Amino acid sequence: MATYNINSAFKMNSGYEIPRLGFGVYQTPPDETKEACLKALNDGYRHIDSAIAYRNEAGCCDAIRASKLPRSEVFFTTKIPPGLMTYEKTKKAVDWSLKTASIDYIDLMLIHAPYGGSAARKETWKALVEAVEEGKIRSIGISNYGVHHLDELEKHIAELEAERGGKGKGGIISVGQWEIHPWCQRDDIVEWCQKRNIAVEAYSPVVRGERFGEPTLTSLAKKYAKTEAQILIRWSLQKGHLPLPKSVTPSRITENATVYDFEISDADIAKLGHKEYTPVCWDPTVSGLDN
């Protein structure tokens, strides 16, 4: 069993490392983002996951500066929303994010969802590849793609290599992000990524608290003397995922990072797993290629 600590990282296909524990800021109000992120950084988090759609990129990076940590020690992610998925709009969005956040580079930029159709997905990916070549972004990836979208992306990469001058010119998939927890494990997507060394990030790892109180979860929390949230975050880490818990409550921010002083047994990891497929968030993975 892998032994993790708060500094554990995943070596991406891009060559860069990404901290295995991230701090999510979905729906965190812009005026609360800096304080929440600064608390997280003070607690040892070194990975903040934002998005253009969240409207809080500035607060995230204000916190990085206020922390006095070197920029190189904090991993910052943002995402291209469906409404900006054209070549030109994506190029402008990258520059907009850099300006809004007042940073020199973005560690990771994801396509937030596969909406927009095949041509839009290819154009957006091409724009991100060019942004990597220009030094604006270090690593790129996708979010909420189904296996059919991932297969299509590999075809787009091959096409771009042919169009742009050879191997490597089509870009490298470093990270994929999905809602993943015991009640939405997405085994097919996880397997696809693991075969290609693509980091699997898990948002909503504590299921928005909607499964707290379920017998198996509560019994494991009691057995390991941990909260139900800590059990779920540790489950995610031991499955090899990169969980992205979010909170604006200082005590919970600390609690969600206090998951390195225990290990869930293989039997209990299996016990917590479920065959049901019950997302609690949106689920673009099931959308068709023409959507």
Side-chain angles (χ1 to χ4, degrees), residues 188-207:
D188 56 340
I189 290 171
V190 170
E191 180 182 4
W192 195 98
C193 290
Q194 288 178 340
K195 286 180 178 178
R196 295 160 175 82
N197 191 51
I198 295 168
V200 175
E201 294 187 320
Y203 67 79
S204 294
V206 303
V207 209

Side-chain angles (χ1 to χ4, degrees), residues 8-236:
S8 295
F10 182 99
K11 182 73 172 287
M12 296 181 289
N13 289 327
S14 63
Y16 291 98
E17 291 192 339
I18 180 172
R20 286 184 175 271
L21 179 67
F23 182 67
V25 293
Y26 171 63
Q27 290 189 335
T28 300
D31 60 347
E32 297 179 32
T33 300
K34 178 182 176 181
E35 184 178 354
C37 288
L38 188 56
K39 168 61 177 169
L41 293 170
N42 288 338
D43 280 350
Y45 294 80
R46 293 294 182 267
H47 171 184
I48 298 173
D49 182 84
S50 185
I52 290 174
Y54 302 169
R55 302 180 185 275
N56 56 20
E57 294 167 302
C60 294
C61 293
D62 284 345
I64 295 172
R65 285 183 286 273
S67 74
K68 304 301 183 183
L69 291 164
R71 171 69 183 90
S72 60
E73 291 186 13
V74 184
F75 192 99
F76 177 68
T77 300
T78 190
K79 310 178 189 76
I80 300 292
L84 299 180
M85 284 179 62
T86 69
Y87 176 80
E88 291 297 337
K89 288 181 179 179
T90 296
K91 298 281 275 190
K92 291 178 181 177
V94 172
D95 290 339
W96 188 89
S97 285
L98 288 167
K99 182 178 179 180
T100 299
S102 297
I103 52 178
D104 295 327
Y105 66 90
I106 295 163
D107 291 281
L108 174 66
M109 196 139 208
L110 305 177
I111 298 176
H112 207 151
Y115 297 135
S118 182
R121 287 189 290 274
K122 182 177 177 181
E123 285 182 22
T124 301
W125 184 258
K126 179 182 177 182
L128 293 182
V129 171
E130 291 181 0
V132 171
E133 294 171 346
E134 293 161 0
K136 297 176 180 179
I137 302 171
R138 290 189 167 180
S139 304
I140 55 178
I142 47 75
S143 181
N144 297 302
Y145 273 40
V147 169
H148 53 303
H149 299 118
L150 294 168
D151 288 339
E152 178 197 66
L153 177 54
E154 283 199 322
K155 293 177 183 177
H156 286 164
I157 289 172
E159 290 170 1
L160 288 170
E161 287 181 337
E163 293 164 10
R164 303 185 69 244
K167 184 137 182 90
K169 292 292 186 178
I172 299 169
I173 311 169
S174 288
V175 174
Q177 184 180 125
W178 293 270
E179 175 189 346
I180 297 179
H181 46 71
W183 298 272
C184 185
Q185 296 198 58
R186 304 193 189 279
D187 292 338
D188 56 340
I189 290 171
V190 170
E191 180 182 4
W192 195 98
C193 290
Q194 288 178 340
K195 286 180 178 178
R196 295 160 175 82
N197 191 51
I198 295 168
V200 175
E201 294 187 320
Y203 67 79
S204 294
V206 303
V207 209
R208 295 181 172 175
E210 293 184 17
R211 295 289 185 157
F212 290 175
E214 294 219 353
T216 301
L217 183 56
T218 55
S219 68
L220 291 180
K222 183 176 181 180
K223 175 179 178 179
Y224 292 97
K226 291 291 178 180
T227 67
E228 290 165 285
Q230 288 171 322
I231 293 294
L232 290 170
I233 293 166
R234 183 70 199 190
W235 176 91
S236 190

